[in-house]
Amino acid sequence: MAKVVTIDGPAGAGKSTVARRLAGRLGWQFLDTGAMYRAVTLAALLRRIDLSSEAALDALASCVNVDVSGGRVILDGEDVTLEVRRSEITRQSAKIADSASVRGHLVRWQREFATRSDTVTEGRDQGTIVFPDAFRKFFLTADEVERARRRLGDLLAKGERTTLETVLADQLARDARDAARSIAPMKPAPDALHVDTSGKSVDEVVEELAGHILIP
Ligand code: C5P
């Protein structure tokens, strides 16, 4: 059976970068589940769907085609990799993630993807809900200002005009919403290993995680 390593944690803890690099190091496939929620959010905004209507979100989630398997984010055949990183999508994505219908559709797809071959997956509920029997589980954290600084750097590099205060406030609001929702809240699985990435380079974190996976 294909192995799964899960990496969960709050926004900006370095999950995507670490998970992608770790997957490369192990020769496994990588799954960015946040990108899936972002793609559905973009689809909802483009169609002007009421984000508080569960019926509308269910209809959307059952017809929309999201594919993150090739390292890009493809929405209904169109590459939206850059677009889904915009602040507006980031802000709205935690609302879409409250939807039971959206989660149901995406979780099915995530489990199907992980049957294909060994997978490193990252998100908020991967170790708790989606892959409770994962081979190894990690919960990544980092100092909140350091997390906001990292995200600010990404956004400025992409040409967005924003400030550390705005990014920090958005991050706190999103983490609070992700942790408080009734379905699949963000929390460490009881058997997850906690890793604080503050002050560590990506390489250091990848090596630390790989050490826990490669030890027999
Ligand atoms: O990780 P990223 O910032 O791309 O995730 C965007 C949003 O998608 C999160 O704030 C969260 O609300 C949602 N999400 C989720 N479950 C996951 C991954 C992401 O609810 N497994």
Side-chain angles (χ1 to χ4, degrees):
M1 215 170 75
K3 288 196 204 64
V4 175
V5 166
T6 62
I7 302 181
D8 291 303
K15 302 184 301 291
S16 296
T17 314
V18 166
R20 182 178 284 108
R21 292 267 284 273
L22 180 64
R25 164 105 160 66
L26 298 170
W28 295 14
Q29 55 177 3
F30 161 60
L31 180 58
D32 178 350
T33 63
M36 302 177 77
Y37 287 92
R38 287 169 180 272
V40 176
T41 304
L42 176 62
L45 295 181
L46 289 173
R47 291 170 167 81
R48 299 184 194 284
I49 281 171
D50 174 5
L51 302 189
S52 61
S53 164
E54 193 58 26
L57 289 177
D58 187 38
L60 173 71
S62 51
C63 73
V64 85
N65 194 328
V66 175
D67 181 4
V68 297
S69 62
R72 311 290 300 173
V73 186
I74 309 295
L75 171 64
D76 291 330
E78 201 180 318
D79 191 329
V80 294
T81 310
L82 290 181
E83 211 173 338
V84 297
R85 310 310 306 178
R86 280 183 9 232
S87 294
E88 173 63 5
I89 304 294
T90 305
R91 221 169 276 136
Q92 304 291 350
S93 60
K95 292 185 193 160
I96 290 280
D98 284 351
S99 158
S101 310
V102 171
R103 299 203 79 86
H105 285 283
L106 296 188
V107 166
R108 264 196 303 283
W109 194 92
Q110 290 159 17
R111 289 187 177 137
E112 194 278 319
F113 179 79
T115 61
R116 301 179 197 171
S117 67
D118 295 343
T119 302
V120 178
T121 178
E122 65 98 342
R124 305 292 189 289
D125 58 349
Q126 300 297 285
T128 48
I129 304 289
V130 186
F131 302 106
D133 300 322
F135 173 69
R136 286 280 184 280
K137 300 178 186 178
F138 298 99
F139 195 81
L140 254 56
T141 54
D143 170 74
E144 66 185 28
V145 176
E146 183 168 333
R147 290 193 278 125
R149 280 215 182 90
R150 288 178 193 163
R151 195 167 283 276
L152 177 68
D154 289 347
L155 290 171
L156 294 178
K158 284 178 191 133
E160 265 202 42
R161 294 174 71 183
T162 184
T163 62
L164 182 63
E165 289 69 31
T166 307
V167 174
L168 186 56
D170 282 353
Q171 175 183 284
L172 286 173
R174 195 151 65 99
D175 286 346
R177 187 166 188 141
D178 282 339
R181 72 168 154 256
S182 52
I183 323 163
M186 169 181 71
K187 63 176 177 190
D191 51 347
L193 201 81
H194 292 242
V195 176
D196 187 338
T197 68
S198 311
K200 294 179 189 163
S201 70
V202 173
D203 282 346
E204 281 173 315
V205 180
V206 170
E207 284 317 303
E208 187 175 339
L209 269 49
H212 291 288
I213 294 162
L214 297 170
I215 286 169

